[in-house]
Amino acid sequence: MASMMDFGVKEKSQWCAGCGDFAIVGALKSALLELGIEPKDTVISSGIGCSGKTPHYLNVYGYEGLHGRSLPVASGIKLANHKLNVLAMGGYGDGYGIGAGHFVHIMRRNYDMAYIVHDNQIYGLTTGQASPTTQLGMKTKTSPEGVVETPFNPLASAIIGGATFVGRAFAGDIIHMKQMMKEAIAHRGFALLDILQPCVTFNKLNTYEYFTKRCYKLQEAGHDSSDKFKALEKAMEQTATNYEKIAVGVLD
């Protein structure tokens, strides 16, 4: 039986102090441990970006590939050895930008894996440019007058695209995030878990305080995750102009 120490590594993290990625890795270690999954039975495929460093900080098998290609690599690993617990880890640019084509097609194929996306609404690794999920009107290096493009909605896209598990968590609530990870990993089929992960260095709008005030838990609100139309309704609550209510939990 594995212990928490078995998932640890000696390498020092290169993330900024306070980055939500620390909580994501910590929660993932606990989730794997509580699910009884051994390090030797887990593979993490990642892309490029701050999130791409995740396999470096967990003592499991890992593959850090090309930008936007974490899902094809994870698919190949799962097809080659379906007994492995396969996770794909990436950012919004990696998954919802350059990798969006893979994101769309893996949902209809419904491979048995979890896709955990570190979503901080800014390109942090390249020092603060607008990303596919950057909030409308937000000023960045590439949008000095404010973002004019409608943000990509990953949850609505996943529900419509056929993902059989669609959820969202907030890195500032590590206990709930761990539970969401456990449900996504245990799910038989393709699971998307979008994690709202504050970038403390380059995103001064979507902070821990910002999300704490706006996030509410779907299951506590009585949401029926078996109703796809209700799930889509919840996914669409957060629109380009309305960020006052942000649903976290299992949508579908």
Side-chain angles (χ1 to χ4, degrees):
M1 182 71 177
S3 69
M4 186 66 80
M5 295 294 292
D6 293 323
F7 287 100
V9 296
K10 294 181 180 180
E11 183 172 351
K12 185 178 180 181
S13 172
Q14 298 176 31
W15 291 325
C16 302
C19 175
D21 286 343
F22 287 102
I24 291 174
V25 167
L28 183 55
K29 288 179 181 178
S30 294
L32 292 170
L33 182 65
E34 291 180 16
L35 288 170
I37 300 173
E38 298 286 335
K40 67 178 179 63
D41 297 325
T42 300
V43 182
I44 295 178
S45 167
S46 72
I48 301 301
C50 298
S51 60
K53 299 292 291 182
T54 303
H56 298 233
Y57 308 138
L58 278 163
N59 184 33
V60 298
Y61 290 105
Y63 189 102
E64 185 178 2
L66 298 174
H67 189 33
R69 306 295 180 256
S70 59
L71 287 175
V73 172
S75 300
I77 294 169
K78 189 66 180 183
L79 289 172
N81 187 347
H82 63 86
K83 294 180 181 180
L84 289 172
N85 173 45
V86 179
L87 307 175
M89 305 284 283
Y92 37 85
D94 193 69
Y96 306 151
I98 190 172
H102 300 300
F103 178 56
V104 169
H105 292 292
I106 197 169
M107 290 186 289
R108 67 186 182 85
R109 292 172 182 145
N110 198 31
Y111 290 126
D112 183 20
M113 68 176 72
Y115 185 31
I116 299 174
V117 179
H118 303 217
D119 189 354
N120 61 21
Q121 296 88 48
I122 198 81
Y123 282 133
L125 185 68
T126 51
T127 70
Q129 298 85 2
S131 79
T133 57
T134 301
Q135 193 166 324
L136 192 69
M138 182 175 172
K139 295 181 179 181
T140 73
K141 285 186 175 181
T142 50
S143 58
E145 301 300 321
V147 171
V148 297
E149 299 171 335
T150 301
F152 180 73
N153 189 323
L155 303 182
S157 299
I159 293 166
I160 294 170
T164 50
F165 178 100
V166 180
R168 171 171 274 171
F170 166 44
D173 187 344
I174 194 167
I175 295 176
H176 180 257
M177 177 169 57
K178 178 187 69 173
Q179 180 59 35
M180 289 297 298
M181 287 179 174
K182 288 172 65 177
E183 293 186 38
I185 294 168
H187 175 74
R188 293 295 301 274
F190 181 74
L192 170 69
L193 179 59
D194 184 76
I195 299 180
L196 301 170
Q197 176 260 320
C199 174
V200 295
T201 302
F202 295 107
N203 189 337
K204 303 302 183 182
L205 173 62
N206 307 121
T207 62
Y208 285 99
E209 182 181 12
Y210 176 94
F211 287 121
T212 299
K213 288 181 178 179
R214 290 166 172 79
C215 288
Y216 72 97
K217 295 183 175 69
L218 285 169
Q219 276 58 56
E220 291 181 2
H223 172 66
D224 180 5
S225 61
S226 66
D227 188 328
K228 193 170 291 292
F229 291 102
K230 288 291 185 182
L232 189 58
E233 183 180 298
K234 290 298 180 183
M236 296 302 293
E237 276 184 351
Q238 185 181 328
T239 65
T241 56
N242 181 19
Y243 278 74
E244 293 310 305
K245 292 178 67 178
I246 303 175
V248 296
V250 181
L251 280 84
D252 185 27

